[in-house]
Amino acid sequence: VFGEATAVLAGDCLMLMPYEWFESLADYGVSEDKIVKIIKTANHAFTYRGVIGGQMLDLKYENKKIDQETLERIHMGKTAALLCAPILTGAILADANSEQLKCLKTYSHKIGLLFQIVDDILDIESDAATLGKNTGRDVALGKSTYPALLGLDGAKEYAKKTYDEAILAIEPLGDKVNDLKALALYLLQRKS
């Protein structure tokens, strides 16, 4: 609506806005050490290691046949990074130790991947009214998907396997993570 240049600048601004929140954490008694860890987590999510890198790979491989490992690298950069950053931020604020952070990082990566697998399945099985967006877009855009690589039944099996791995990752954390288990189940069973 306002042109490509304005859209790019708006995106740049939105990527930097969390840093205003990071600055305010000290006002709430959050230590500088924690603030630095949170900023580092956000940087990993936004940069070439995360969203930007994943999106570049996605663009690079449009209309090209890729393997499952490459497809997962794309989604680990895009979706998994976006889910990992807020989960780890909450854990850092709650004084999670390195083992707990490791469990939550693995969980975050798995549910990011799970979201994408299910999204690919819904792009085939759902309709625009239920999904809230046009279906069949992935095929139209020439994107590789889990159903294209594994078949529809194979993609569903892989979604269940990924869900199981997410739950297994947070088992050492005990019953404090029931909400995270519920989130993973929701992502597996979602219809839109």
Side-chain angles (χ1 to χ4, degrees):
V1 172
F2 299 103
E4 184 177 343
T6 301
V8 169
L9 289 172
D12 292 345
C13 182
L14 289 171
M15 294 282 280
L16 294 171
M17 285 179 74
Y19 293 92
E20 291 180 3
W21 178 76
F22 300 150
E23 289 173 13
S24 73
L25 289 174
D27 298 338
Y28 297 96
V30 177
S31 70
E32 289 181 7
D33 180 53
K34 284 185 182 179
I35 294 171
V36 169
K37 286 179 184 176
I38 291 168
I39 291 171
K40 183 177 178 182
T41 300
N43 284 342
H44 282 248
F46 293 144
T47 65
Y48 68 91
R49 291 176 289 247
V51 176
I52 292 171
Q55 188 61 43
M56 282 301 298
L57 287 174
D58 197 17
L59 293 171
K60 177 181 178 180
Y61 291 111
E62 245 177 41
N63 295 310
K64 294 179 182 170
K65 189 152 179 74
I66 61 173
D67 59 21
Q68 187 174 341
E69 182 181 338
T70 303
L71 185 58
E72 289 189 11
R73 273 194 7 236
I74 291 168
H75 295 314
M76 290 299 274
K78 292 169 60 175
T79 312
L82 281 179
L83 291 172
C84 190
I87 288 172
L88 292 184
T89 295
I92 291 165
L93 290 172
D95 295 320
N97 63 38
S98 61
E99 280 304 309
Q100 292 167 326
L101 289 171
K102 184 178 176 184
C103 291
L104 291 167
K105 186 174 184 178
T106 300
Y107 165 83
S108 301
H109 288 165
K110 294 298 179 180
I111 66 166
L113 194 56
L114 176 61
F115 177 90
Q116 286 300 152
I117 298 165
V118 173
D119 201 56
D120 288 353
I121 293 167
L122 291 175
D123 194 55
I124 294 170
E125 289 191 333
S126 192
D127 57 75
T130 304
L131 201 53
K133 64 179 183 178
N134 291 333
T135 56
R137 288 186 62 221
D138 293 334
V139 172
L141 292 172
K143 292 187 178 277
S144 290
T145 65
Y146 290 94
L149 289 172
L150 307 173
L152 191 55
D153 288 339
K156 289 178 181 181
E157 288 173 19
Y158 193 57
K160 176 65 169 88
K161 178 182 180 281
T162 305
Y163 162 80
D164 291 340
E165 291 170 349
I167 298 303
L168 185 62
I170 55 175
E171 279 300 321
L173 303 178
D175 61 0
K176 295 178 184 178
V177 292
N178 288 335
D179 288 341
L180 294 178
K181 289 178 181 180
L183 173 61
L185 184 60
Y186 167 77
L187 292 174
L188 177 65
Q189 298 176 340
R190 72 188 180 95
K191 302 296 179 203
S192 62

